[in-house]
């Protein structure tokens, strides 16, 4: 028997998520990663404009579990794309807020491409009522959108091109509560791109501590002490 999903979700939502992950993987299998232009070029943006590049399903499920465990209700996502991982974040935040009774669920998403943001919104509408009203999607460059009001942040999902990982972390850092968690994707495969972030996190006076988890490509768990 297949193991039960860790998500508390309707069969319709589970099958919708499965469909989104399948579409993303199918697109990714056709990308020629070695011949891509640099991540901060317009050519790269043109190629990525119709791509999900969704976080893998097993990593999304891990994040959902972590969020339920640390009772995260205010979550920031750097890099939202078509909003697949965001559904997991919003579901966990909504369920935590409902369990808690005193806090409001809030997921601040960021996406610089308006066409991707529009698709994300459609996906969230289809994902159902439980996540409605939870996501505050900020369209534009995260170096501007994350400089605005965030509240006290429990969790940061760093799923962004690597040159933006450290700028995003620095913008959210003043808002972390002690014990806040950050998950960053692809940290073994893209270790060179994360060099500045790692140097910042590993600095002697840093309040961050990190471990690399052996998920495909590597997945970093960073805790703000
Ligand atoms: C890896 S994808 C995010 C995937 C998403 N978290 C998911 O699992 O479904 C990264 C996204 O970040 C967006 N992005 C890149 N640079 C950005 C910037 N400066 N500000 C905001 N979003 C940006 C890209 O357009 C892309 O859609």
């Amino acid at each position: 028997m297949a193991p039960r999903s860790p998500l508390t979700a309707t069969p319709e939502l589970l099958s919708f998520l499965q469909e989104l992950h399948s579409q993303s993987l199918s697109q990714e299998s056709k990308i020629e990663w070695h011949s891509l232009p640099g991540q901060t070029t317009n050519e790269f943006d043109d190629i990525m404009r119709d791509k999900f590049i969704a976080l893998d399903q097993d990593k999304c499920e891990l994040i959902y579990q972590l969020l339920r465990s640390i009772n995260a209700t205010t979550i920031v996502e750097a890099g939202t794309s078509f909003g697949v991982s965001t559904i997991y974040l919003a579901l966990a935040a909504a369920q935590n807020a409902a369990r808690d009774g005193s806090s409001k669920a809030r997921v601040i998403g960021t996406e610089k491409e308006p066409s991707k943001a529009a698709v994300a919104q459609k996906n969230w509408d289809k994902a159902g009522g439980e996540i409605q009203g939870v996501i505050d999607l900020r369209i534009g460059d995260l170096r501007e959108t994350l400089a605005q009001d965030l509240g006290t942040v429990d969790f940061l999902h760093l799923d962004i091109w690597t040159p933006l990982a450290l700028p995003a972390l620095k913008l959210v850092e003043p808002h972390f509560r002690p014990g806040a968690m950050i998950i960053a994707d692809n940290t073994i495969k893209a270790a060179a791109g994360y060099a500045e972030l790692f140097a910042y996190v590993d600095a002697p006076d840093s309040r961050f501590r990190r471990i690399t988890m052996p998920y495909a490509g590597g997945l970093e768990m960073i805790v703000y002490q």
Side-chain angles (χ1 to χ4, degrees):
M1 203 166 88
R4 181 177 168 187
S5 168
L7 273 65
T8 301
T10 61
E12 291 76 21
L13 178 54
L14 293 177
S15 103
F16 181 46
L17 287 168
Q18 188 70 55
E19 185 193 317
L20 293 171
H21 283 294
S22 301
Q23 287 176 27
S24 181
L25 287 176
S26 160
Q27 273 186 337
E28 278 189 50
S29 67
K30 293 177 197 121
I31 297 175
E32 295 188 12
W33 292 99
H34 296 292
S35 58
L36 284 177
Q39 292 188 346
T40 48
T41 62
N42 291 337
E43 292 82 355
F44 185 80
D45 287 347
D46 290 343
I47 294 167
M48 290 300 165
R49 196 160 291 119
D50 67 344
K51 306 290 186 303
F52 280 79
I53 321 288
L55 190 72
D56 295 332
Q57 185 167 6
D58 58 347
K59 297 172 182 171
C60 286
E61 290 178 349
L62 172 76
I63 287 180
Y64 172 88
Q65 288 282 71
L66 293 170
L67 294 172
R68 293 292 277 144
S69 179
I70 67 167
N71 204 28
T73 50
T74 300
I75 298 169
V76 175
E77 181 170 65
T80 289
S81 187
F82 296 159
V84 179
S85 54
T86 330
I87 295 174
Y88 292 81
L89 305 180
L91 195 64
Q95 292 170 352
N96 288 340
R99 183 176 59 192
D100 195 44
S102 61
S103 44
K104 190 176 166 349
R106 188 174 185 217
V107 174
I108 297 159
T110 57
E111 178 49 58
K112 75 168 183 171
E113 300 287 349
S115 60
K116 296 190 94 170
V119 176
Q121 190 57 62
K122 277 194 192 143
N123 286 335
W124 299 334
D125 291 345
K126 197 167 163 193
E130 205 171 351
I131 67 162
Q132 296 313 310
V134 172
I135 302 166
D136 164 9
L137 178 60
R138 300 184 179 180
I139 304 169
D141 190 318
L142 63 80
R143 287 165 288 196
E144 289 165 19
T145 60
L146 289 184
Q148 293 154 25
D149 137 74
L150 297 176
T152 300
V153 174
D154 302 304
F155 187 94
L156 168 65
H157 181 210
L158 265 183
D159 198 16
I160 192 71
W161 314 147
T162 55
L164 290 158
L166 182 56
L169 182 75
K170 283 184 174 173
L171 281 167
V172 184
E173 182 173 0
H175 305 277
F176 283 134
R177 67 145 158 101
M181 189 182 287
I182 300 102
I183 293 284
D185 191 28
N186 221 17
T187 51
I188 296 174
K189 198 169 167 199
Y194 279 110
E196 284 185 356
L197 178 104
F198 291 160
Y200 185 77
V201 163
D202 294 341
D205 59 348
S206 160
R207 286 184 64 178
F208 297 108
R209 299 290 183 274
R210 71 180 172 106
I211 53 169
T212 309
M213 298 184 283
Y215 280 76
L219 191 70
E220 214 67 17
M221 178 198 278
I222 307 170
V223 172
Y224 184 72
Q225 308 272 308

mmCIF file with all atom_site columns, all heavy atoms in Angstrom, residues 14 41 54 147 151 175 191 219:
data_model
loop_
_atom_site.group_PDB
_atom_site.id
_atom_site.type_symbol
_atom_site.label_atom_id
_atom_site.label_alt_id
_atom_site.label_comp_id
_atom_site.label_asym_id
_atom_site.label_entity_id
_atom_site.label_seq_id
_atom_site.pdbx_PDB_ins_code
_atom_site.Cartn_x
_atom_site.Cartn_y
_atom_site.Cartn_z
_atom_site.occupancy
_atom_site.B_iso_or_equiv
_atom_site.pdbx_formal_charge
_atom_site.auth_seq_id
_atom_site.auth_comp_id
_atom_site.auth_asym_id
_atom_site.auth_atom_id
_atom_site.pdbx_PDB_model_num
ATOM 1  N N   . LEU A 1 14  ? -4.868 16.880 -3.231  1.00 0.00 ? 14  LEU A N   1
ATOM 2  C CA  . LEU A 1 14  ? -3.683 16.013 -3.386  1.00 0.00 ? 14  LEU A CA  1
ATOM 3  C C   . LEU A 1 14  ? -3.476 15.666 -4.849  1.00 0.00 ? 14  LEU A C   1
ATOM 4  O O   . LEU A 1 14  ? -2.355 15.675 -5.354  1.00 0.00 ? 14  LEU A O   1
ATOM 5  C CB  . LEU A 1 14  ? -3.839 14.740 -2.548  1.00 0.00 ? 14  LEU A CB  1
ATOM 6  C CG  . LEU A 1 14  ? -3.833 14.942 -1.030  1.00 0.00 ? 14  LEU A CG  1
ATOM 7  C CD1 . LEU A 1 14  ? -4.078 13.614 -0.310  1.00 0.00 ? 14  LEU A CD1 1
ATOM 8  C CD2 . LEU A 1 14  ? -2.520 15.559 -0.560  1.00 0.00 ? 14  LEU A CD2 1
ATOM 9  N N   . THR A 1 41  ? 20.459 37.253 -16.318 1.00 0.00 ? 41  THR A N   1
ATOM 10 C CA  . THR A 1 41  ? 20.345 37.847 -17.660 1.00 0.00 ? 41  THR A CA  1
ATOM 11 C C   . THR A 1 41  ? 18.891 37.820 -18.145 1.00 0.00 ? 41  THR A C   1
ATOM 12 O O   . THR A 1 41  ? 18.080 37.002 -17.692 1.00 0.00 ? 41  THR A O   1
ATOM 13 C CB  . THR A 1 41  ? 21.207 37.065 -18.680 1.00 0.00 ? 41  THR A CB  1
ATOM 14 O OG1 . THR A 1 41  ? 20.708 35.712 -18.741 1.00 0.00 ? 41  THR A OG1 1
ATOM 15 C CG2 . THR A 1 41  ? 22.673 37.034 -18.281 1.00 0.00 ? 41  THR A CG2 1
ATOM 16 N N   . ALA A 1 54  ? 9.117  23.964 -10.067 1.00 0.00 ? 54  ALA A N   1
ATOM 17 C CA  . ALA A 1 54  ? 8.526  23.780 -8.723  1.00 0.00 ? 54  ALA A CA  1
ATOM 18 C C   . ALA A 1 54  ? 9.447  22.960 -7.840  1.00 0.00 ? 54  ALA A C   1
ATOM 19 O O   . ALA A 1 54  ? 10.143 22.049 -8.310  1.00 0.00 ? 54  ALA A O   1
ATOM 20 C CB  . ALA A 1 54  ? 7.173  23.081 -8.857  1.00 0.00 ? 54  ALA A CB  1
ATOM 21 N N   . ALA A 1 147 ? 11.306 44.440 1.203   1.00 0.00 ? 147 ALA A N   1
ATOM 22 C CA  . ALA A 1 147 ? 11.745 45.557 2.054   1.00 0.00 ? 147 ALA A CA  1
ATOM 23 C C   . ALA A 1 147 ? 10.533 46.196 2.736   1.00 0.00 ? 147 ALA A C   1
ATOM 24 O O   . ALA A 1 147 ? 10.682 47.080 3.578   1.00 0.00 ? 147 ALA A O   1
ATOM 25 C CB  . ALA A 1 147 ? 12.490 46.583 1.212   1.00 0.00 ? 147 ALA A CB  1
ATOM 26 N N   . GLY A 1 151 ? 6.083  41.670 9.285   1.00 0.00 ? 151 GLY A N   1
ATOM 27 C CA  . GLY A 1 151 ? 5.663  41.123 10.579  1.00 0.00 ? 151 GLY A CA  1
ATOM 28 C C   . GLY A 1 151 ? 6.766  40.255 11.163  1.00 0.00 ? 151 GLY A C   1
ATOM 29 O O   . GLY A 1 151 ? 7.921  40.324 10.732  1.00 0.00 ? 151 GLY A O   1
ATOM 30 N N   . HIS A 1 175 ? 13.404 40.312 10.831  1.00 0.00 ? 175 HIS A N   1
ATOM 31 C CA  . HIS A 1 175 ? 12.020 39.971 11.206  1.00 0.00 ? 175 HIS A CA  1
ATOM 32 C C   . HIS A 1 175 ? 11.875 38.555 11.769  1.00 0.00 ? 175 HIS A C   1
ATOM 33 O O   . HIS A 1 175 ? 10.784 38.152 12.153  1.00 0.00 ? 175 HIS A O   1
ATOM 34 C CB  . HIS A 1 175 ? 11.108 40.112 9.973   1.00 0.00 ? 175 HIS A CB  1
ATOM 35 C CG  . HIS A 1 175 ? 11.190 41.464 9.348   1.00 0.00 ? 175 HIS A CG  1
ATOM 36 N ND1 . HIS A 1 175 ? 10.464 42.544 9.802   1.00 0.00 ? 175 HIS A ND1 1
ATOM 37 C CD2 . HIS A 1 175 ? 11.955 41.930 8.330   1.00 0.00 ? 175 HIS A CD2 1
ATOM 38 C CE1 . HIS A 1 175 ? 10.772 43.614 9.093   1.00 0.00 ? 175 HIS A CE1 1
ATOM 39 N NE2 . HIS A 1 175 ? 11.671 43.258 8.181   1.00 0.00 ? 175 HIS A NE2 1
ATOM 40 N N   . ALA A 1 191 ? 26.172 24.560 -5.030  1.00 0.00 ? 191 ALA A N   1
ATOM 41 C CA  . ALA A 1 191 ? 26.961 25.050 -3.886  1.00 0.00 ? 191 ALA A CA  1
ATOM 42 C C   . ALA A 1 191 ? 27.770 26.299 -4.239  1.00 0.00 ? 191 ALA A C   1
ATOM 43 O O   . ALA A 1 191 ? 27.875 27.228 -3.426  1.00 0.00 ? 191 ALA A O   1
ATOM 44 C CB  . ALA A 1 191 ? 27.889 23.949 -3.384  1.00 0.00 ? 191 ALA A CB  1
ATOM 45 N N   . LEU A 1 219 ? 19.425 20.004 0.221   1.00 0.00 ? 219 LEU A N   1
ATOM 46 C CA  . LEU A 1 219 ? 18.409 20.910 0.771   1.00 0.00 ? 219 LEU A CA  1
ATOM 47 C C   . LEU A 1 219 ? 18.953 21.416 2.105   1.00 0.00 ? 219 LEU A C   1
ATOM 48 O O   . LEU A 1 219 ? 19.313 20.623 2.974   1.00 0.00 ? 219 LEU A O   1
ATOM 49 C CB  . LEU A 1 219 ? 17.091 20.145 0.974   1.00 0.00 ? 219 LEU A CB  1
ATOM 50 C CG  . LEU A 1 219 ? 15.858 20.967 1.286   1.00 0.00 ? 219 LEU A CG  1
ATOM 51 C CD1 . LEU A 1 219 ? 15.416 21.777 0.054   1.00 0.00 ? 219 LEU A CD1 1
ATOM 52 C CD2 . LEU A 1 219 ? 14.700 20.049 1.710   1.00 0.00 ? 219 LEU A CD2 1
#
